[in-house]
Amino acid sequence: MNPLLHRLTSKILFITCAIGWLLMASAQAQTTLNAILQEQVLKVGLINDRHHYHLTGNGPTGFDYGYARGYADYLGVSLQIVPFYSEAKLYQALSNNTIDVAAPRFRHTDPEPDLSYGPVLFTTTVIEIGPENAASPCSAPGPRQRLVLPYLQDVVTAITGIDWQKSDSADSVTLLAEMISQADYCTILPTTWRAALKGYFPSLAEQVVPDATLTKQWLVRAEDTALLSTLYEFTHLSRTNGSLAVLTKKMLKPEKVLVKPNPRELVEDINTRYPAIQQAVEESQSTLDGAYIAAIDYLVNDWRSAQHEQAKDIDKPAIRLAQIGRKLDLLQAQLPARIQGIDRTWFILAAYYLGASHVEDARQLTSRAGANPDLWVDVKQQLPRLQTDYVSTRAGFADGAQAVTFVDQVRYVAETLTLLMKAS
């Protein structure tokens, strides 16, 4: 063969192969995004815990859920949340095409080779936390007294260069509660988490760890460049329109901690503020006693708040209380018929706070413990386990201890209201 012709033939063959490879790569880059748009479903893997995503009586909550909701809306598709309890299984699911996008707690120092990080959503400092009177929270405790949440152990060790004892608890509130009972213990948490827990622990000693930050980034498969591009576009839009700032600010807002009302203030509030909504309570037409509806409104909406005082339109309390009544009736219909009497009321109230799925999880835990899942006195003992042993449940993490408190406080307010109305 002519040498020149041979060289031209080789070049043509190389160019043809290169174009074919580029077309295949381009098609692969578009495959996941096209599938999402065709199927109209975006599957996002989220970590199920207190700080990132979990179900409540008012529906899903958490920074990652809010961002996933916005991203799905941006793509014009429905959102399917797939919950996970560890980054390892989350990464595996993404690599295996079980999910489209993954939202780890924070970026790991060693990224997975087949995965690509998206844009930075936020960064956070980390802080040492110790007893209230500690000048330097983690200077005195020895290695066995430096506790850290299991999924933060590797990150915290890398940041500090010292060994940390893995906590038995996977919940930050439970860990801090355990710490308080041991004077010399300390831990490390992201500042964003600590901000959310201020209502539970307002006065613990804190100290920022110098030159240490954690970065929040989502992940896609390395070949899904088109999908990654839309994630960057959505993040840029979210920064521009302020929605990312709103989600971040909400994440930093302290969780509302239920505190038993002061008896004198409660009586005063009922006497001065209840008459304005009494008719709306009586017309709410729920199968539960109106006193429970008023008690929930008192605890959830804060009758002393400016918003409540400005609600001059007579329809506003009527709408608000009717919504509470309808939700209670819906939960009542979801509860097994064999649960009867006053126990049924307490279960309904717990479901109002947590959601019916979490109450059912607590009933299952009660059965496994050998107790009666139809009795509130037994189930309330298991509800706090929803924030410690939630990996073994169907609905995942829930603040079960606060649900018990909620039921007790609704009962207290309702009984006080009933007594005062009878006396008037």
Side-chain angles (χ1 to χ4, degrees):
M1 179 182 289
N2 186 302
L4 178 60
L5 182 60
H6 178 73
R7 286 197 297 271
L8 286 173
T9 302
S10 298
K11 286 184 179 179
I12 291 171
L13 181 61
F14 173 79
I15 292 171
T16 301
C17 291
I19 291 174
W21 181 86
L22 289 173
L23 289 173
M24 287 177 62
S26 176
Q28 179 63 41
Q30 295 287 342
T31 298
T32 299
L33 180 59
N34 287 341
I36 291 170
L37 298 177
Q38 290 174 4
E39 297 171 9
Q40 287 290 290
V41 177
L42 173 69
K43 292 174 287 202
V44 182
L46 302 185
I47 295 293
N48 180 271
D49 66 9
R50 179 182 294 273
H51 300 286
H52 299 91
Y53 157 76
H54 65 273
L55 299 173
T56 72
N58 293 320
T61 189
F63 174 88
D64 283 317
Y65 172 77
Y67 211 65
R69 177 76 275 160
Y71 184 39
D73 290 344
Y74 173 74
L75 294 177
V77 299
S78 61
L79 175 65
Q80 179 183 338
I81 295 298
V82 184
F84 292 87
Y85 301 103
S86 72
E87 269 78 6
K89 291 186 177 180
L90 177 69
Y91 298 151
Q92 184 180 15
L94 183 58
S95 297
N96 294 340
N97 289 321
T98 305
I99 56 177
D100 304 315
V101 185
R105 294 180 177 93
F106 296 102
R107 176 171 181 156
H108 278 201
T109 53
D110 297 320
E112 300 293 321
D114 60 333
L115 306 178
S116 293
Y117 280 106
V120 173
L121 302 182
F122 64 84
T123 59
T124 178
T125 56
V126 295
I127 54 174
E128 297 178 351
I129 302 175
E132 184 176 352
N133 58 355
S136 180
C138 292
S139 59
R144 295 185 62 81
Q145 296 169 310
R146 291 193 293 263
L147 288 176
V148 68
L149 294 169
Y151 40 80
L152 292 180
Q153 187 181 33
D154 292 342
V155 175
V156 168
T157 299
I159 287 173
T160 61
I162 59 177
D163 293 330
W164 287 79
Q165 187 79 10
K166 188 185 296 185
S167 166
D168 292 333
S169 173
D171 176 46
S172 53
V173 169
T174 308
L175 171 61
L176 290 177
E178 292 172 354
M179 250 181 47
I180 289 174
S181 64
Q182 304 291 333
D184 291 332
Y185 275 66
C186 72
T187 191
I188 284 185
L189 289 180
T191 305
T192 50
W193 297 7
R194 173 62 181 129
L197 304 182
K198 282 288 186 181
Y200 290 91
F201 312 100
S203 57
L204 294 175
E206 302 174 12
Q207 181 171 295
V208 175
V209 178
D211 303 320
T213 58
L214 297 174
T215 304
K216 181 69 173 179
Q217 292 172 268
W218 284 13
L219 286 159
V220 299
R221 287 177 289 277
E223 68 267 18
D224 287 336
T225 54
L227 184 62
L228 183 61
S229 176
T230 65
L231 188 56
Y232 270 94
E233 291 167 2
F234 170 66
T235 302
H236 175 73
L237 177 64
S238 299
R239 289 197 184 100
T240 303
N241 63 23
S243 59
L244 179 56
V246 170
L247 277 176
T248 306
K249 185 177 181 181
K250 184 178 180 181
M251 175 180 60
L252 296 171
K253 184 179 180 181
E255 294 180 19
K256 184 176 181 180
V257 181
L258 296 170
V259 179
K260 186 175 181 178
N262 178 282
R264 182 169 297 181
E265 291 179 355
L266 175 59
V267 171
E268 178 184 347
D269 290 340
I270 291 174
N271 286 332
T272 59
R273 291 171 169 82
Y274 180 70
I277 67 168
Q278 183 173 2
Q279 183 176 354
V281 172
E282 294 171 350
E283 293 176 352
S284 58
Q285 297 182 341
S286 171
T287 54
L288 256 67
D289 192 304
Y292 293 117
I293 296 175
I296 291 172
D297 189 52
Y298 180 85
L299 294 171
V300 173
N301 293 311
D302 186 6
W303 289 0
R304 295 188 173 209
S305 69
Q307 181 182 5
H308 185 274
E309 292 297 337
Q310 292 169 4
K312 303 298 183 182
D313 187 344
I314 193 169
D315 289 334
K316 288 183 178 179
I319 293 172
R320 190 177 68 241
L321 292 159
Q323 288 175 339
I324 295 174
R326 285 194 296 271
K327 184 175 178 180
L328 291 171
D329 286 348
L330 178 63
L331 293 167
Q332 169 133 240
Q334 296 174 5
L335 204 63
R338 65 177 179 274
I339 300 176
Q340 295 292 322
I342 197 63
D343 286 288
R344 190 172 185 85
T345 299
W346 307 147
F347 278 113
I348 293 169
L349 294 176
Y352 185 94
Y353 187 83
L354 286 183
S357 59
H358 289 307
V359 172
E360 182 57 31
D361 281 345
R363 294 181 67 246
Q364 293 299 321
L365 290 174
T366 305
S367 292
R368 294 176 205 166
N372 190 335
D374 298 338
L375 293 180
W376 173 249
V377 68
D378 288 343
V379 174
K380 70 184 292 187
Q381 305 299 321
Q382 302 298 323
L383 276 167
R385 291 180 58 194
L386 296 181
Q387 64 197 62
T388 57
D389 303 331
Y390 57 89
V391 175
S392 64
T393 64
R394 294 187 65 180
F397 175 88
D399 199 338
Q402 282 285 285
V404 175
T405 301
F406 178 77
V407 173
D408 290 343
Q409 291 186 6
V410 169
R411 179 180 180 179
Y412 171 68
V413 173
E415 289 176 351
T416 303
L417 173 62
T418 301
L419 287 172
L420 289 176
M421 291 301 98
K422 286 181 178 179
S424 61

